[in-house]
Amino acid sequence: MALGRSRRGDRTIDYWPGFVDALSTLLLVFVFLLTVFVLAQFVLTQELGSKDDAMSRLQAQIRELTNLLALERANDADSESQIGALRASLAQIEQERDVLREAATAVATPEEIAQAQDRAAALARQLGSEQDATAQAAAQIAILNQQIAALRRQIAALEDALSISEQKDKESQSRLADLGRRLNVALAQRVQELTRYRSEFFGRLNAILGTRPGIRVVGDRFVFQSEILFDRASAYLRPDGVPALDNIAKAVLELEREIPPDIAWVLRVDGHTDDRPIQTPQYPSNWELSAARAIAVVQYLVSKGIEPRHLVAAGFGEYQPIDGSGTDEARDRNRRIELKLTER
């Protein structure tokens, strides 16, 4: 009688879990793309921060050199003014010397001649000191000109380094953008390939198991009623349910040979129970029972040669029902094992 009710319930296929799984797959892909984008943005931010620090240091050096250049120019202007004053003083001294010479050639007393000679000697000494000061000022101006030229060369080198840094920054941004585009293309290709293999896999399972009572396709999952594989409140496989798992193991082995190794995929085995509580020494709750049933299926598939890295066991207890009406028929439908091929 229960089998009859199950067959009548199978006529109405519930597409809602498949729709939910499709949405969850799209959400996982979106989250992965968002994570890659955030990582790329983080790497770009770190690189731009280092570039900004280097540019700030270069600009600080340029400002310091500019201030030093302005100071040197001010000193140069002071030196020029000093040289002008010295030249004016020298011209005045030479003029006084000429006056004294003219006075010496005129008729004068011996005392006046002696005073004129002393005055001429003093003016000669003053002229010599003024000439020395002028020579020192000229040497200082030459040194300042050399320093100004060196500062200009340093400023030009810093500007070149700044231009190179900006160019490298632009190249880094371009490389990151290109990497993001290529990563998106590669991810889309992997998702398409996995979708194609998932379709082929479930097509094979549908051809093998699709007509057996208690097994149905819901969205992108194969659903086994728990009574096919397990007795009530038990996680030990029934002997009459093993052939169905053998067919699944054969299809998965063929799939392992066909899917390229660079595609990360797993066959997820989900255990579900109804909402009637269980409390036994072996299974204190429906969590333990659903997880134990999923693990039993996974261990059997491993014993048939399937790679453990391609299998996942998950227990959902009574918290993911496909029929929430609370009837006995709904509880029969909720006690199930689901197989789903998905990305890792």
Side-chain angles (χ1 to χ4, degrees):
M1 180 64 67
L3 182 59
R5 289 197 302 271
S6 176
R7 288 181 177 178
R8 289 194 300 273
D10 290 343
R11 295 175 182 175
T12 302
I13 298 178
D14 188 359
Y15 293 99
W16 175 249
F19 179 70
V20 172
D21 288 337
L23 286 180
S24 63
T25 302
L26 291 177
L27 181 59
L28 287 174
V29 173
F30 176 76
V31 170
F32 179 76
L33 291 175
L34 182 59
T35 303
V36 171
F37 177 75
V38 170
L39 289 176
Q41 288 295 109
F42 176 76
V43 173
L44 178 60
T45 302
Q46 292 294 324
E47 187 172 355
L48 289 178
S50 62
K51 297 296 183 180
D52 291 338
D53 292 339
M55 291 175 64
S56 298
R57 290 195 298 270
L58 291 175
Q59 290 176 354
Q61 293 179 0
I62 290 174
R63 287 194 297 269
E64 182 180 356
L65 292 175
T66 302
N67 294 332
L68 183 58
L69 179 59
L71 181 60
E72 295 295 342
R73 287 177 176 174
N75 292 334
D76 189 8
D78 292 339
S79 299
E80 291 287 347
S81 63
Q82 290 178 3
I83 290 175
L86 290 175
R87 288 176 178 173
S89 178
L90 180 59
Q92 184 179 0
I93 291 172
E94 289 178 349
Q95 185 178 2
E96 291 180 359
R97 184 192 60 186
D98 294 336
V99 171
L100 291 174
R101 284 179 179 175
E102 292 177 356
T105 55
V107 178
T109 63
E111 293 178 357
E112 292 176 349
I113 293 174
Q115 291 176 358
Q117 290 176 351
D118 293 337
R119 179 62 177 169
L123 291 174
R125 288 191 299 271
Q126 187 177 359
L127 179 60
S129 63
E130 295 290 344
Q131 289 177 346
D132 293 338
T134 303
Q136 292 177 359
Q140 187 177 4
I141 290 173
I143 294 173
L144 290 175
N145 289 331
Q146 293 176 358
Q147 292 177 351
I148 290 172
L151 289 175
R152 287 175 177 172
R153 288 193 296 271
Q154 291 180 3
I155 291 174
L158 290 175
E159 289 177 349
D160 292 339
L162 185 60
S163 299
I164 293 173
S165 177
E166 292 176 350
Q167 182 65 28
K168 289 183 179 179
D169 187 19
K170 293 179 181 178
E171 292 176 355
S172 299
Q173 293 179 358
S174 177
R175 287 197 299 269
L176 284 175
D178 183 63
L179 177 61
R181 288 192 297 270
R182 288 187 291 176
L183 184 61
N184 291 335
V185 172
L187 180 60
Q189 291 176 351
R190 290 293 179 267
V191 171
Q192 291 176 357
E193 291 181 9
L194 184 59
T195 302
R196 178 173 61 86
Y197 286 115
R198 181 190 295 127
S199 300
E200 294 178 359
F201 173 67
F202 281 102
R204 294 173 186 173
L205 290 186
N206 194 27
I208 296 173
L209 305 174
T211 58
R212 181 169 178 172
I215 301 176
R216 64 186 184 277
V217 178
V218 179
D220 58 351
R221 295 166 294 168
F222 258 85
V223 179
F224 290 75
Q225 294 305 128
S226 295
E227 288 74 10
I228 296 177
L229 302 176
F230 304 99
D231 292 329
R232 185 178 297 273
S234 172
Y236 295 98
L237 289 171
R238 293 165 53 98
D240 55 350
V242 169
L245 293 181
D246 290 338
N247 291 328
I248 293 174
K250 181 179 178 181
V252 175
L253 288 172
E254 294 177 357
L255 191 69
E256 282 185 329
R257 291 190 294 268
E258 295 177 5
I259 296 181
D262 58 343
I263 297 179
W265 65 275
V266 292
L267 180 66
R268 200 179 77 190
V269 181
D270 299 337
H272 299 266
T273 66
D274 57 27
D275 58 354
R276 285 176 292 199
I278 182 174
Q279 188 173 5
T280 65
Q282 191 173 6
Y283 309 113
S285 70
N286 284 327
W287 283 109
E288 283 82 2
L289 178 60
S290 62
R293 287 177 171 177
I295 292 173
V297 173
V298 165
Q299 289 176 339
Y300 185 81
L301 294 177
V302 171
S303 68
K304 291 300 180 178
I306 299 174
E307 290 287 339
R309 62 189 177 90
H310 288 152
L311 295 170
V312 173
F316 291 87
E318 70 270 24
Y319 300 107
Q320 298 290 335
I322 58 177
D323 190 340
S325 60
T327 63
D328 290 339
E329 184 178 355
R331 291 188 178 96
D332 292 340
R333 290 168 58 83
N334 291 335
R335 292 192 304 271
R336 65 197 188 278
I337 295 293
E338 294 183 354
L339 302 179
K340 179 180 179 180
L341 186 68
T342 183
E343 65 272 4
R344 187 173 62 213

